[in-house]
Every structure is written in structure tokens, then in C-alpha cells.
Amino acid sequence: MNIIKVDRDFTRKNSIIENHKRAAYEDGAAIRDISWKLKILTDAAKYDVACTSSGVERKGNGRDMGNAAACGICHAFAADGRCISLLKILMSNECVFDCKYCINRKSNDVPRATFTADEICKLTMEFYRRNYIEGLFLSSGVVGTPNQTMELMYEAVRKLRIEHRFNGYIHIKAIPGASQELVEAIGYLTDRMSINLEMPTSDGLKAMAPHKSRSTILKPMKEIQAGIHNNRLTHGLTDKRIPMQIRDCSAKVYEKALGLPKKETYNFLVENDIGGTKTDIVAEPKADYVVGTRGKYFVPAGQSTQMIVGATPESDYHIMNVAEALYDNYDLKRVFYSAYIPINEDSSLPALDTKPPLLREHRLYQADFLLRFYGFRAGELLSEERPFFNEKIDPKCDWAVRHLEEFPVEVNTADLSVLLRVPGIGVKSARRIVMARRYGSIDFNDLKKMGVVLKRALYFITCKGRMMYSTKIEEEYIVNHLVYNEPPEKIFKPDTGSYRQLSLFDVGSPLMIGNG
Amino acid sequence: MINTVLLHDGTLDGIFTAVYNGFVLKNIKYKNNYEDNISIADIHTYEPHFFREYIEVETDRDKAYKTVDSIVKKIGISGYDVAMGVACHFSPDAGEILFGFLVRGFKIGKGVVNMLTDSYVEKAFALSRKTYNESHLFREFVRFTDVKGRLYSKIEPKCNILHMICRHFAERFPAENWIIYDAVHHIAAVHPSFGQWFLTDDEGADFDRIDSMPHDEYVDMWKLFVDTIAIEERKNERCQNNHLPKWYRKNMTEWKK
Ligand code: SF4
């Protein structure tokens, strides 16, 4: 900042003041401009669901801003209940493509805006240091050609990583049809890359997105997969489930890991005027450091994709099979499902007043968890004959009641893989059970403490040979109770083992809809 | 049955001093047949009980450090984490659970963390889990405001979690001068740019003055972003409330009027 010197020459003084006023005005205008763009480009980006910041563990380097936690961190929750973890924006909502389902398609008359690289950097840095976000999620409409778009995106990310030395999380949405060189160059600057599959089948895609094709989507996906694979090997990682740990930077040791925090008197506000700026640095950081993933780590948090559900007629069975193939063949970290929200009028699309299929999306996410963490295969959950998930009970319960010959399971002896298939037992509680039973046998009370949801599990397990209540192992009976969704104390009287007769009719609306 | 309670001043140093004195007492008084007779409690909040003896503990940092060192040595890091979690929880029972947990820990060693069927161990796990959950939430929900280039944040946590989140922010913002002020426990964490963070009490500090500082324009942009990112057709207040209990919103930028 300039310093105004006291000057006897009034004209000169006045002109300096004028300059300052103008500068202040322009600052204000820049802020207004950036706010206006932020509104348009956030609004245009909101339908993209992939907004997690997980998958890579990167320590701070003691000098630059940022680190990343493998588990991801949510910072806020929007009115739709979804977590806000990244600054999710489009670089531009200009687009030369005309995908039918998309708000930004060429044929729509909407206000258009494009961020400059500097604006993207500024927003990211300023939001990040206020602890609003974990990093940046940058997507874009197609400006000119896919390659031109990716070049602009590359420039923004390069500036952010190299000039601003941003060390937090970056997720880039690759543009279908962009060249391998660009994908590779960006890949070395970002943590996660994704390319939206959009529609579960190539026919659906052809109908909805005439400018895209399956191959322009799958080709870069394959390239990213190969890039990740080779890069992980050079860092000595063969198991693809292990998140990349980026620690080889001169992280400062801030405190003894064990000691209690120091207590000193430091009257920050009384003695030091808070007007100091970042220039009063008290110690110089070490010189060697690594910023972000630069040149060393290729897409360390892996890649993800997204499918729109409900715009085209594919069944859940279709979708799960595609997801499974993506996990198996493309090593994707996540597949996201996005309930179609009608924005555009088009004869080939659901009518404008169609409600987004949120419950269906929810069931797909639940099933997706079963694929990723519970050892299920898509073919076990659904089939050509039964291509849709049960609306009333979740996919795991649904599977269990159709495989009653495998139950009940004795929790004190069953294998981990068997426990994982019991409704109401999650990954964490299954591990806790296996751990705890080494030190003594487990009963229902212990299970509750370990986080098992007994109101679902009780029909499928025994503890020391006994069931919790004398429930029947019978499909219709269990389904009725599961749908009723009441805590067991309310349905069963433990002393007699008898239960209150109930049917689906006194159920009301037991369906719960959460977010993915 | 508890019959002796050691009273500390509520600081971490105080709590671990009380643990130290508690073990000294246990070894003198009960030698071999100890049955959970000793507890510790915060002198400001304990509820006097007729048949109990109360001993006030003088906070002694050396004793506290010794206690911490031997916890780590004998029960291991994960046991230490549990103990720390219990020590920082606001529950009036935290003192008794902490002492009971440590008694078992010192007897059994590192294996104590797997004894989930013991009632003290189980309660200790439950409490410390709550503490760490809260500290995790505050890593997410702390909001800094830019005050002339420095960062300031006010939080009001139920548990004493300030020291648990500082390392995270020190690592994340090494170049920034920042302060996080815990208005409930009256402590502040201060991080000088490229320096070592430390805790201090709020005596003499005038944090209210910060509210009269010039407005931070990114606050408005953040609100704009949060409002715009939500999809109208998917509005789900219950889901939002589940993830973000209203209670936490008090000091969060995007919820301020
Ligand atoms: S390419 Fe298609 S989906 Fe992407 S912004 Fe353009 S119209 Fe929308």
C-alpha cells in the first residue's frame, strides 16, 4: 500500500487523495464484479454432486498455506443438507455443446460469465484461509474447444499451485475430448480428477448429449487410471486402497506430540496493535518444500465420476453393473449418482414438474457402499428379473430377507465377511465385534454399545446361541417389522418374548430420505 | 464406592496433577485392595456429597507432565488419547471415569484399550469419543475473520477442545497470524506467523473490540456462495439440522445475521 506523505502542495495532495478514492472505488467494483460472477458460476455448478475432499493425506510443509486430510473435511451444510467441502464453481458457463439435461447448454438463454485465473485464485485463497473450504472444485462449460477450455483451467490451477503456493485440495473436472497431454499436465497439479459419465449407457448418452460420446469420456478415464497406477508404483504403493500419504516435505514439528500445551502470557490485543500485517514474520521457514502435487504426484486422491439417474430409462440393475465395472476396470475412487432435476423442457426428457428421484438416488448410494466396503457384487443385489431396489427397505436388508438360509449368524464366532452382511452391522461395528470377542463373549447389550443398530440386526443374529427376542425367520414377517422401523423395546416385550402384532397398514410413512 | 475426591482447578495441568496426587494417595491408603474409592473433580462445578472427603489439589505443572509421560509409557499412545479425551469432557463424571480408566490402565498396560466390556473402560471410550467428535466438528466449523490481515475466530465448545485443534490449524496456516478464542473456557490459542502456537488465558484481552473492526468483505461472498450452492428442488432442512446442529451455528459466519 502507498503511504500518503504530508505535502504542502494542496493540488498534489488532492490528486493523491483522488487517486486513492479511485483505487478504493475500483477495489469495490472488482469485489462487486467477482461477487456477480461467483453467483452465476456457483449456481451453474451446483448440480455436480462430487464434492468430497477425501482420498489424500498431505501434511503442511511449514511454509505454504494448506494441507489435506485423507478422510476429507466438511465445512458447512447447504439448505439441501449436502456438505460443502470445496469451493465448487465453474470456470465458465459459456458452452458450445448442447447437452439436453444441462442448464448451461448452448441453446439456453442464461446470463453467462467467465472467471479469470486470478479471480479463481483469489477466491480460493481467501476462502481457504478463513477455514470456509478444503480447496477448489473446478469444472467448466466448453469454451471454444475442449482443449482451449482445459488450457484455461490449467492456467488457473497452475497459478494457484505455483504462484500462490496453495497446498490444499484441488478437484478438476476434465473436459471430454481434451488431449492426453493436457489431462496429464493438470493431473500433476490436482488431487482428484473426474470425468462425468453422465448417462449409464452409451445409448442414453447419445440421446442426451449429442456432442459427447462414450469414447471421449472413457479414453481420458483410462489415461488417468494408467497415470495414477504408474505414479503410485513409483511411490511404492501397490495396494490401490491405501490413500497416498504425502509427507516428504519439510513439515515443521510444531509441538511435542505428547506434552501438554504451553501456557504463556501474550496479550496480543493489548500490547500489539492488531493493525500489523502479514509482513511481521517472526521466523523464516526452511527452504526445501513441496507445494501440492507439483510434478511428483499424479491425481493422488484418485478419480471419480457421476451418473445422472432418472433422465433416461436405465434400471438400477444397469446402473449398479456400470458402477461395478467402473470400480473393477477403471479403479475409480467414487461413483456419484445424481437424481435428475428437470431444468430444460425437451420431449425426450421427463416433464418439468417431475420430482427428482431422491429415494432412488439414496438406495443407489447405499448399494454403492455395499459394493465398495461390504464385499457385495451387483449381481447379488439385483437381477434382470428384479431390476429395481426395494423402496421400503434398504438394499442390505432386502438382500438379507431374500437369503434367510444364511441366517441367523452367531456374532461370537462368525467371520468378519459374514458379519458385514448382517443388516444393522456396519464396517466399524463389525471390526469392534471381532476385536472385543477376543476378550470375552458378547451379548446384545455389548452390541448396542459397539454401534450395532439392533432394530435391524435382531432378526438376523444370535448371541451365545440365543436370539434377542423369539422372532421368526420368515421373509414377510421380518419385512413388516423392518418397515415399521420402531426400536425393539416398543415392539417386543422382552420378558415374555411376545410381540405386538402389526401390519403395514399402521405404518404411515416410514421412509427416510437422507443425502448420499 | 468413592470416598475421596481430589479437587482441581479445571485446567489440564490441574486435572493431571490431581491424577498424580490420586495415585500417591491410592498407594498409601489402599495398597492392594483398591476398589475405585478415589475420584477427581473440578472445584468450580462439583456437587458436595455427604460421606466424601474432599482434598484440594495445588496445580503443579511438573507433576502433570510426569503423569502424562507415564501414561504414554505404560498405556501407550492410544490409551493416552482416550485419557485426554475424558479429561477434556465437560461431564461431572469425567473425573471418576478418568481415574478408574487409569487405574486399570496402569495395572493392565496397553491392552486396556481392548477391554471394552469393563464399565470404566467402556465409559472412558464413550466420553472420549464425544470429546474427539466435538474437536473434529470444530476443525470444520471454526470460521476466521480477517482483521487487518490477521485471522480471528471465536468458538464456544462444550468440551475443552481448543488445544486439540490447534495443531491442525498451525499446520494448515503456518504463515498466518491467528487467534482462536474459546469464550466458554476463557482461553485463547495464539499462533504467530511461522511461530509456535501457545495457549493463554483471556485476562486483560479485549476480544469484543474486534467486532468493531472494519467489515470483512469475504464474509458476504461466502454467504452468497452457501446460499447459491443449495438446490431448491432438494431442500431438506432436517438433513441439514442433523449434520449441523443449530447449537454450533452461533459463531459461524454463514449463519450470522
Ligand atoms: S458440455 Fe454439456 S454438460 Fe457440460 S456445460 Fe456444456 S452443455 Fe452442460
Side-chain angles (χ1 to χ4, degrees):
Chain A
M1 241 224 293
N2 295 327
I3 296 162
I4 306 174
K5 288 200 187 110
V6 180
D7 198 317
R8 285 175 205 285
D9 180 352
F10 281 103
T11 12
R12 213 184 130 208
K13 191 174 173 186
N14 272 343
S15 81
I16 291 172
I17 290 170
E18 277 307 310
N19 277 343
H20 270 270
K21 272 193 188 155
R22 186 161 351 104
Y25 174 78
E26 277 164 9
D27 267 4
I31 291 290
R32 274 195 298 282
D33 197 38
I34 204 174
S35 300
W36 176 77
K37 288 185 184 176
L38 181 64
K39 181 149 177 62
I40 290 177
L41 293 167
T42 304
D43 202 45
K46 70 184 175 191
Y47 296 104
D48 221 300
V49 287
C51 184
T52 59
S53 59
S54 55
V56 63
E57 179 81 27
R58 179 167 54 240
K59 292 266 151 216
N61 64 13
R63 167 178 177 139
D64 301 310
M65 188 165 74
N67 56 8
C71 56
I73 296 180
C74 279
H75 283 276
F77 291 91
D80 52 18
R82 297 188 305 169
C83 127
I84 300 174
S85 174
L86 303 171
L87 170 62
K88 182 163 64 176
I89 48 173
L90 297 193
M91 180 185 73
S92 174
N93 68 340
E94 304 274 356
C95 193
V96 296
F97 284 6
D98 205 35
C99 308
K100 289 191 176 156
Y101 50 83
C102 175
I103 183 134
N104 305 316
R105 63 181 188 180
K106 189 173 68 186
S107 52
N108 275 7
D109 181 21
V110 291
R112 309 273 175 179
T114 303
F115 274 129
T116 64
D118 287 326
E119 286 165 340
I120 292 170
C121 293
K122 189 150 183 71
L123 274 174
T124 310
M125 296 299 279
E126 294 296 337
F127 276 11
Y128 193 86
R129 67 190 276 267
R130 287 166 178 77
N131 205 38
Y132 296 163
I133 51 169
E134 282 299 290
L136 173 68
F137 173 106
L138 190 65
S139 179
S140 185
V142 184
V143 188
T145 66
N147 275 349
Q148 279 167 1
T149 314
M150 282 290 272
E151 262 165 41
L152 291 173
M153 291 168 90
Y154 172 79
E155 182 53 18
V157 184
R158 188 197 64 78
K159 270 213 155 108
L160 188 58
R161 275 280 193 243
I162 296 179
E163 285 175 22
H164 295 268
R165 324 190 54 81
F166 177 67
N167 202 25
Y169 197 89
I170 300 180
H171 178 160
I172 294 292
K173 192 125 269 188
I175 309 292
S179 75
Q180 183 176 358
E181 292 73 46
L182 273 168
V183 169
E184 190 177 325
I186 287 200
Y188 277 110
L189 296 169
T190 65
D191 293 295
R192 173 163 286 180
M193 270 229 255
S194 56
I195 302 165
N196 285 354
L197 199 62
E198 310 291 13
M199 298 299 155
T201 57
S202 56
D203 288 346
L205 187 72
K206 220 179 275 161
M208 290 295 136
H211 298 90
K212 292 180 185 168
S213 73
R214 230 0 183 331
S215 63
T216 55
I217 294 171
L218 291 181
K219 189 175 143 280
M221 214 183 250
K222 258 271 142 22
E223 288 160 8
I224 297 172
Q225 180 197 19
I228 294 173
H229 178 75
N230 293 337
N231 189 250
R232 286 177 72 90
L233 282 185
T234 61
H235 292 288
L237 279 172
T238 45
D239 186 340
K240 60 188 177 196
R241 285 165 311 181
I242 298 174
M244 188 79 92
Q245 306 260 335
I246 302 178
R247 287 173 194 279
D248 52 349
C249 36
S250 65
K252 276 176 110 181
V253 181
Y254 281 98
E255 69 205 274
K256 247 189 11 178
L258 315 173
L260 295 171
K262 262 203 283 182
K263 192 170 171 179
E264 290 173 19
T265 333
Y266 182 84
N267 289 330
F268 189 90
L269 288 171
V270 178
E271 283 168 14
N272 297 33
D273 181 49
I274 197 152
T277 63
K278 264 194 277 177
T279 45
D280 35 328
I281 287 167
V282 292
E284 267 302 316
K286 285 189 200 159
D288 56 321
Y289 50 83
V290 176
V291 185
T293 58
R294 176 158 60 142
K296 247 185 132 172
Y297 297 93
F298 183 81
V299 195
Q303 65 172 328
S304 64
T305 192
Q306 168 182 331
M307 283 188 261
I308 298 171
V309 179
T312 42
E314 289 92 351
S315 67
D316 292 348
Y317 180 58
H318 255 124
I319 297 175
M320 284 332 292
N321 271 318
V322 172
E324 188 173 86
L326 289 170
Y327 287 131
D328 289 354
N329 305 331
Y330 290 83
D331 298 338
L332 286 206
K333 267 272 157 21
R334 285 294 299 268
V335 174
F336 292 92
Y337 309 89
S338 162
Y340 174 69
I341 298 166
I343 310 163
N344 300 326
E345 193 140 27
D346 195 296
S347 57
S348 55
L349 283 170
L352 276 187
D353 55 1
T354 315
K355 286 255 166 329
L358 294 177
L359 176 61
R360 186 173 171 206
E361 178 196 278
H362 182 54
R363 291 281 179 256
L364 287 168
Y365 274 115
Q366 288 177 322
D368 189 81
F369 266 83
L370 297 182
L371 295 189
R372 286 188 297 140
F373 301 115
Y374 291 81
F376 282 93
R377 304 291 297 171
E380 289 180 276
L381 300 171
L382 296 169
S383 61
E384 292 284 1
E385 296 76 45
R386 264 184 97 268
F388 287 95
F389 286 113
N390 192 328
E391 293 210 331
K392 299 213 169 67
I393 53 176
D394 66 72
K396 199 179 185 190
C397 287
D398 195 33
W399 175 84
V401 293
R402 285 183 292 109
H403 293 83
L404 288 176
E405 68 284 357
E406 318 217 353
F407 297 102
V409 160
E410 170 57 47
V411 284
N412 282 298
T413 52
D415 278 353
L416 182 65
S417 63
V418 175
L419 288 173
L420 282 174
R421 291 183 165 235
V422 178
I425 298 184
V427 176
K428 262 194 199 152
S429 35
R431 294 231 174 87
R432 281 191 199 129
I433 290 170
V434 174
M435 203 44 149
R437 69 190 181 189
R438 290 190 207 149
Y439 296 88
S441 62
I442 295 174
D443 64 31
F444 289 100
N445 244 338
D446 302 323
L447 288 180
K448 202 170 187 176
K449 290 176 201 152
M450 290 178 215
V452 173
V453 186
L454 279 177
K455 71 179 177 192
R456 283 207 284 284
L458 72 92
Y459 308 96
F460 305 100
I461 52 173
T462 56
C463 281
K464 300 175 219 166
R466 289 175 57 100
M467 297 201 67
M468 191 166 177
Y469 304 106
S470 47
T471 48
K472 296 185 230 168
I473 302 196
E474 195 185 283
E475 184 171 347
E476 201 191 323
Y477 168 91
I478 296 177
V479 171
N480 274 355
H481 281 75
L482 286 173
V483 170
Y484 194 72
N485 202 23
E486 280 277 352
E489 309 83 80
K490 282 204 173 167
I491 317 177
F492 302 105
K493 295 192 207 114
D495 44 344
T496 60
S498 66
Y499 62 93
R500 198 154 66 82
Q501 192 70 45
L502 48 96
S503 76
L504 275 176
F505 299 110
D506 34 61
V507 167
S509 176
L511 304 175
M512 298 255 299
I513 301 172
N515 75 333
Chain B
M1 225 200 20
I2 303 292
N3 50 30
T4 308
V5 181
L6 297 143
L7 298 174
H8 56 76
D9 62 2
T11 63
L12 283 175
D13 287 355
I15 293 170
F16 286 103
T17 310
V19 170
Y20 185 96
N21 289 4
F23 273 94
V24 173
L25 188 73
K26 170 179 169 286
N27 290 340
I28 297 170
K29 250 179 142 177
Y30 301 99
K31 274 273 182 252
N32 298 321
N33 54 344
Y34 177 76
E35 277 179 66
D36 294 311
N37 316 70
I38 299 173
S39 170
I40 59 178
D42 189 328
I43 196 162
H44 309 293
T45 54
Y46 80 101
E47 283 174 21
H49 198 289
F50 236 147
F51 302 104
R52 290 183 185 174
E53 173 196 10
Y54 291 91
I55 305 170
E56 207 172 309
V57 168
E58 198 185 321
T59 299
D60 177 338
R61 166 157 290 182
D62 287 338
K63 284 184 183 173
Y65 273 131
K66 270 187 205 152
T67 314
V68 167
D69 278 346
S70 51
I71 293 175
V72 173
K73 244 182 242 136
K74 292 194 182 135
I75 318 184
I77 294 282
S78 38
Y80 166 77
D81 283 344
V82 174
M84 188 52 124
V86 179
C88 296
H89 196 275
F90 60 88
S91 158
D93 301 331
E96 186 184 339
I97 295 168
L98 175 64
F99 202 79
F101 173 74
L102 290 175
V103 166
R104 283 155 185 77
F106 281 130
K107 201 156 100 197
I108 289 153
K110 296 186 176 155
V112 71
V113 294
N114 294 323
M115 282 180 36
L116 290 178
T117 42
D118 179 277
S119 85
Y120 275 92
V121 176
E122 180 231 317
K123 280 186 204 151
F125 264 84
L127 271 200
S128 82
R129 203 177 305 141
K130 282 184 195 149
T131 310
Y132 287 108
N133 281 348
E134 191 176 15
S135 92
H136 190 79
L137 285 181
F138 274 96
R139 292 202 312 187
E140 304 174 346
F141 298 153
V142 161
R143 294 286 182 267
F144 287 106
T145 313
D146 184 293
V147 184
K148 295 192 186 170
R150 301 190 172 195
L151 298 173
Y152 169 74
S153 171
K154 180 172 137 189
I155 59 173
E156 293 174 68
K158 289 181 184 165
C159 303
N160 184 9
I161 50 92
L162 181 58
H163 65 280
M164 297 179 172
I165 62 176
C166 286
R167 177 145 47 145
H168 172 75
F169 288 115
E171 194 196 303
R172 177 162 282 209
F173 307 121
E176 304 279 355
N177 293 294
W178 53 255
I179 292 182
I180 304 173
Y181 172 46
D182 176 346
V184 173
H185 302 88
H186 300 288
I187 39 174
V190 179
H191 177 270
S193 175
F194 293 123
Q196 158 83 48
W197 66 272
F198 56 85
L199 293 177
T200 174
D201 50 36
D202 62 353
E203 256 174 52
D206 178 11
F207 289 110
D208 291 338
R209 226 180 79 197
I210 292 179
D211 291 331
S212 61
M213 297 280 172
H215 182 67
D216 180 354
E217 67 225 0
Y218 281 91
V219 168
D220 300 330
M221 283 204 253
W222 173 240
K223 281 188 188 161
L224 176 73
F225 176 75
V226 172
D227 289 343
T228 316
I229 200 83
I231 299 178
E232 184 64 30
E233 290 86 344
R234 304 183 58 123
K235 266 230 155 84
N236 188 343
E237 210 178 308
R238 194 174 60 181
C239 183
Q240 187 185 28
N241 293 344
N242 277 346
H243 285 301
L244 177 63
K246 291 225 166 85
W247 182 79
Y248 285 104
R249 300 179 186 179
K250 208 176 338 173
N251 293 304
M252 290 171 74
T253 311
E254 62 270 30
W255 293 98
K256 280 203 188 133
K257 289 277 143 46

